């Protein structure tokens, strides 16, 4: 699900990179370059999450965090070049929900943003649905069951996780890297061909004709998507 995200980062190159990765996730991203603008934009836009650099001009990022926390419970992810434990604990004590030390992987940043958004939505009562229906494919995440046109399908844990990731946003094209982040997490050295292997196994189990899939589609040069109806055939 998309979110409104405010990025406060004065390094233009870094801010552009963060924006690109977060927008690839379907989020609406706004960028500001100083702490004063961050406070103004947070108050006017009311974002779902803030990515906040500590070393900001005009108003320090830690002061921004402290001020915002008295006004809102918006999730805050701190970006800091300070690596001492005292600096990290200070940010958390001021109300930050998580932090990343520079340099960091953009993939790790997007994974942490997703985790914070999930945590925030669950706290707000926006629980994710237990039963997902995408065309003829039905997943019961509570019971770990899958049916295709009423036919039960037995999946491994990882196959189920890949299918669930796609089913939560039907029709959206996921790159292999995005599937890896959602299924395996950013701490695993999983290769993209692992995703291809899981997709191949899913097609054998879900599709009437795995060579011409109608549910789990390949979008050439981009990745995979789960169709919510009879889609074009591809392999």
């Amino acid at each position: 699900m998309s979110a409104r995200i405010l990025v406060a980062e004065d390094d233009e190159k870094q801010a552009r990179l963060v924006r690109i990765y977060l927008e690839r996730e379907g989020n609406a991203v706004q960028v500001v370059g100083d702490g004063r603008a961050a406070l103004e934009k947070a108050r006017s836009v009311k974002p779902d999450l803030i990515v906040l650099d500590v070393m900001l001009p005009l108003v320090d990022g830690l002061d921004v965090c402290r001020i915002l926390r008295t006004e809102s419970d918006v999730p805050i992810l701190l970006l800091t070049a300070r690596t001492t434990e005292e600096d990290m604990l200070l940010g958390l004590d001021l109300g930050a929900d998580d932090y990343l030390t520079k340099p960091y992987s953009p993939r790790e940043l997007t994974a942490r943003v997703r985790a914070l958004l999930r945590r925030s939505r669950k706290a707000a009562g926006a629980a994710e649905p237990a039963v997902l229906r995408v065309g003829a494919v039905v997943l019961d995440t509570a019971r770990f069951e899958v049916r295709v046109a009423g036919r039960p399908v037995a999946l491994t844990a990882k196959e189920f996780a890949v299918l669930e990731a796609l089913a939560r946003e039907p029709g959206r094209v996921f790159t292999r890297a995005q599937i890896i982040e959602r299924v395996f997490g950013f701490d695993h050295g999983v290769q993209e061909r692992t995703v291809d292997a899981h997709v191949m196994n899913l097609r054998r189990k879900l599709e009437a004709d795995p060579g011409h899939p109608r549910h789990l589609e390949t979008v050439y040069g981009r990745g995979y998507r789960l169709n919510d109806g009879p889609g074009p055939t591809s392999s």
Side-chain angles (χ1 to χ4, degrees):
M1 294 179 287
S2 63
R4 300 184 309 276
I5 298 179
L6 174 62
V7 176
E9 169 65 77
D10 62 324
D11 183 321
E12 292 185 6
K13 182 178 179 181
Q14 194 70 27
R16 185 164 53 251
L17 183 64
V18 171
R19 181 174 202 154
I20 288 171
Y21 271 80
L22 291 178
E23 286 182 341
R24 284 179 182 173
E25 296 280 303
N27 301 299
V29 181
Q30 291 187 300
V31 177
V32 296
D34 64 72
R36 185 176 300 164
L39 287 170
E40 293 173 354
K41 190 65 71 174
R43 289 164 175 161
S44 63
V45 175
K46 299 189 183 305
D48 298 308
L49 182 140
I50 299 175
V51 178
L52 180 63
D53 184 35
V54 168
M55 302 298 292
L56 288 174
L58 300 184
V59 181
D60 183 271
L62 292 177
D63 286 333
V64 172
C65 182
R66 176 179 54 79
I67 294 168
L68 287 178
R69 194 46 79 226
T70 66
E71 304 173 357
S72 168
D73 60 356
V74 59
I76 297 175
L77 173 62
L78 282 182
L79 306 179
T80 176
R82 302 170 179 173
T83 58
T84 67
E85 184 178 24
E86 290 77 12
D87 288 328
M88 297 174 187
L89 291 176
L90 176 60
L92 296 175
D93 287 342
L94 289 175
D97 297 272
D98 200 357
Y99 64 87
L100 272 176
T101 57
K102 297 181 177 181
Y104 56 83
S105 161
R107 290 177 58 191
E108 181 175 359
L109 182 142
T110 55
R112 290 187 184 235
V113 164
R114 281 198 305 273
L116 287 175
L117 288 171
R118 282 196 300 268
R119 193 184 312 162
S120 174
R121 283 163 175 159
K122 286 182 180 179
E128 293 181 329
V131 178
L132 306 172
R133 292 180 174 84
V134 184
V137 180
V138 179
L139 290 83
D140 188 328
T141 61
R143 297 184 178 183
F144 195 75
E145 294 177 350
V146 176
R147 291 180 177 271
V148 179
R151 171 177 60 88
V153 178
L155 301 181
T156 67
K158 283 295 184 286
E159 289 166 359
F160 190 95
V162 170
L163 187 62
E164 180 182 353
L166 299 176
R168 290 206 175 274
E169 297 184 65
R172 173 183 169 178
V173 180
F174 285 86
T175 67
R176 291 166 177 82
Q178 288 170 336
I179 294 173
I180 288 171
E181 288 177 10
R182 297 202 174 197
V183 174
F184 300 93
F186 53 81
D187 289 330
H188 295 74
V190 178
Q191 298 184 8
E192 292 188 350
R193 63 174 177 265
T194 301
V195 174
D196 296 333
H198 285 307
V199 168
M200 181 175 64
N201 289 335
L202 281 169
R203 283 176 172 161
R204 288 173 180 158
K205 297 178 180 182
L206 300 177
E207 304 286 354
D209 181 358
H212 298 86
R214 300 180 65 82
H215 304 298
L216 188 45
E217 179 189 358
T218 297
V219 179
Y220 291 102
R222 297 185 62 190
Y224 299 107
R225 68 181 167 201
L226 189 63
N227 284 314
D228 55 4
T233 59
S234 58
S235 58

